[in-house]
Amino acid sequence: MLARHVDSGKIPGLVALVSRGDETHVEALGTMRHDGGPPMRRDTIFRTASTSKPLGIAPAMVLLDECRLRLDDPVDPWLPELADRQVLKRVDGPLDETVPARRPITVRDVLTCTFGLGMDLTAMNTPIMGAVFELGLTGHGGPLPDPDEWMRRLGTLPLMHQPGERWQYHIGSDLVGVLVARVTGRSYESFLRERVLDPLGMADTGFHVPADRIDRLPPSYVPDPQTGAFTVWDEAAGGRYCAPPAFQAGGGGVVSTVDDYHVYFRMLLNRGTHGSERILSRPAVELMTTNRLTPEQESVRSALARNSVHVSFGQGQQGGWGFGMAVRTYRGDYAPLGQFGWDGGTGTSAYADPNTGLTGILLTQVGLSVPAPAQLIHDFWTTLYQAVED
């Protein structure tokens, strides 16, 4: 099935991993570039985009374990830019028509992406979403500014919804990194590396690719939506990921390999342990990987996924959301309830399933501007679940 997608010419290359118990199988197919070049290898490094989110939440869980954060503490002491918020009277209304927030934003609101601001595909032509893009808060128009400047810009906007009221995508995931950095007094990446990446041996995971490994990073393509022609979004040498970024974006800035991401998801399946070492407590992992949304919030999220099929090409219909990742709360395709993980707009997917013990990771360099990578991801999971006989 994977070879069929590569042979179509729409996917230049891919690396896929599936594991269950002590068995792991990896396929590396195709080439690094759409016009040929070196072959894909097991150690090829990929831009994971939003597949960063399940990993990016881990440092915050460490701080919860150590009681340096509490879920229902207001974030004002660390994120004063978000104190005393105003909230839009209507999501599609003018930015100056607001009411005061009913309560402060809490740590829980940030970790569940319900703090009041985020990407909303149903409100793309509204003044607030225009302001979000104009201020460069999502990284879609270019690199993000440094964290303090990002927070300053964020603090100039009213919230779209009252704190804790509604799940909204993406911005909360990047906000987690700023919160971690300010609580610890260190860079987000240094804390992530010390407490998660290094103990797990994830040496190829970070926010940029060192010069001695840049040849393992393929270009990232965003094909033309009309013609399907390959357009380079980011080259390896001299590109976005060849030097440390100003903003370490846990919501979409991580580069990694299939083996590194496999170790992380296996740790989650092992309820926080890696070998003899504990990375996260069992309750922390359970919080991350079970649904944290109310029935009302979940219904809005599910409706958003079903109604944005023209944008997502059918991806993202899982139902629930934990901390940093989707959690399946209804059986919408071959994957069972309880599966957790997330996909990325650069053509990446990583999920683990506590019911079957299955972990799957699929990495490509083709962005979701066309249906091909989404269809590949769908077929990958359909094929994986057919292989489970018990």
Side-chain angles (χ1 to χ4, degrees):
M1 183 281 298
L2 295 175
R4 187 170 73 235
H5 280 273
V6 174
D7 292 344
S8 73
K10 297 178 181 178
I11 304 292
L14 59 86
V15 183
L17 178 148
V18 56
S19 77
R20 192 181 187 206
D22 296 327
E23 294 185 69
T24 300
H25 183 77
V26 176
E27 292 279 359
L29 302 175
T31 55
M32 298 270 279
R33 304 189 68 91
H34 80 89
D35 51 359
M40 284 288 184
R41 304 187 326 193
R42 182 167 179 161
D43 66 351
T44 297
I45 298 170
F46 291 87
R47 304 158 188 81
T48 65
S50 286
T51 310
S52 303
K53 289 175 169 65
L55 171 66
I57 199 74
M61 307 311 293
V62 171
L63 295 177
L64 288 176
D65 276 342
E66 295 181 346
C67 299
R68 298 165 73 182
L69 282 176
R70 302 178 193 91
L71 283 172
D72 292 309
D73 276 352
V75 298
D76 298 3
W78 305 289
L79 305 175
E81 298 92 340
L82 297 183
D84 303 318
R85 291 291 79 203
Q86 292 290 309
V87 183
L88 290 175
K89 290 182 178 179
R90 305 191 331 268
V91 170
D92 59 351
L95 298 185
D96 58 356
E97 290 189 6
T98 62
V99 296
R102 289 193 289 265
R103 62 164 177 79
I105 295 169
T106 66
V107 173
R108 185 188 302 271
D109 299 331
V110 174
L111 299 192
T112 55
C113 288
T114 60
F115 81 98
L117 263 176
M119 299 282 289
D120 188 339
L121 295 176
T122 67
M124 294 303 281
N125 295 319
T126 59
I128 184 64
M129 284 308 302
V132 165
F133 287 120
E134 184 179 335
L135 292 174
L137 295 175
T138 66
H140 285 75
L144 293 165
D146 68 76
D148 289 344
E149 172 61 16
W150 188 83
M151 285 301 307
R152 186 197 67 77
R153 297 180 191 180
L154 188 66
T156 65
L157 295 178
L159 301 181
M160 300 167 76
H161 299 281
Q162 289 286 341
E165 183 177 78
R166 185 160 173 167
W167 181 88
Q168 292 183 283
Y169 188 54
H170 185 67
I171 293 178
S173 297
D174 282 345
L175 185 57
V176 168
V178 182
L179 178 62
V180 167
R182 291 189 176 179
V183 171
T184 61
R186 302 169 54 185
S187 78
Y188 173 55
E189 182 174 18
S190 68
F191 190 70
L192 172 67
R193 187 161 301 284
E194 178 190 312
R195 301 305 299 273
V196 182
L197 301 182
D198 285 350
L200 291 174
M202 297 173 66
D204 286 326
T205 301
F207 291 95
H208 81 288
V209 182
D212 61 352
R213 304 179 200 173
I214 200 73
D215 62 316
R216 292 163 52 195
L217 180 72
S220 180
Y221 297 107
V222 178
D224 184 282
Q226 275 71 49
T227 67
F230 285 100
T231 302
V232 175
W233 173 72
D234 184 50
E235 278 285 5
R240 295 187 181 204
Y241 290 87
C242 68
F247 190 103
Q248 297 156 0
V254 172
V255 294
S256 193
T257 63
V258 288
D259 284 302
D260 273 15
Y261 246 59
H262 179 218
V263 172
Y264 180 71
F265 274 81
R266 284 294 296 271
M267 179 272 292
L268 295 182
L269 280 183
N270 290 334
R271 299 179 181 179
T273 61
H274 173 66
S276 61
E277 189 164 3
R278 179 162 290 283
I279 309 299
L280 297 171
S281 72
R282 180 181 295 198
V285 174
E286 290 171 346
L287 273 174
M288 294 165 67
T289 60
T290 54
N291 182 39
R292 305 264 60 81
L293 303 184
T294 66
E296 294 78 15
Q297 291 168 337
E298 189 178 331
S299 67
V300 170
R301 173 169 140 68
S302 295
L304 174 63
R306 288 192 295 270
N307 294 333
S308 65
V309 66
H310 58 298
V311 176
S312 65
F313 305 112
Q315 299 300 297
Q317 298 190 31
Q318 300 89 357
W321 191 263
F323 288 162
M325 65 193 82
V327 180
R328 290 191 184 263
T329 52
Y330 66 89
R331 187 104 193 208
D333 53 31
Y334 281 40
L337 276 61
Q339 185 205 47
F340 56 81
W342 197 229
D343 306 300
T346 49
T348 58
S349 184
Y351 289 84
D353 178 357
N355 299 293
T356 62
L358 190 72
T359 300
I361 300 163
L362 176 67
L363 303 177
T364 80
Q365 79 277 54
V366 182
L368 291 172
S369 56
V370 291
Q375 292 167 348
L376 167 62
I377 291 169
H378 181 277
D379 293 353
F380 173 71
W381 288 107
T382 298
T383 306
L384 252 57
Y385 277 106
Q386 287 183 61
V388 178
E389 294 286 358
D390 53 35

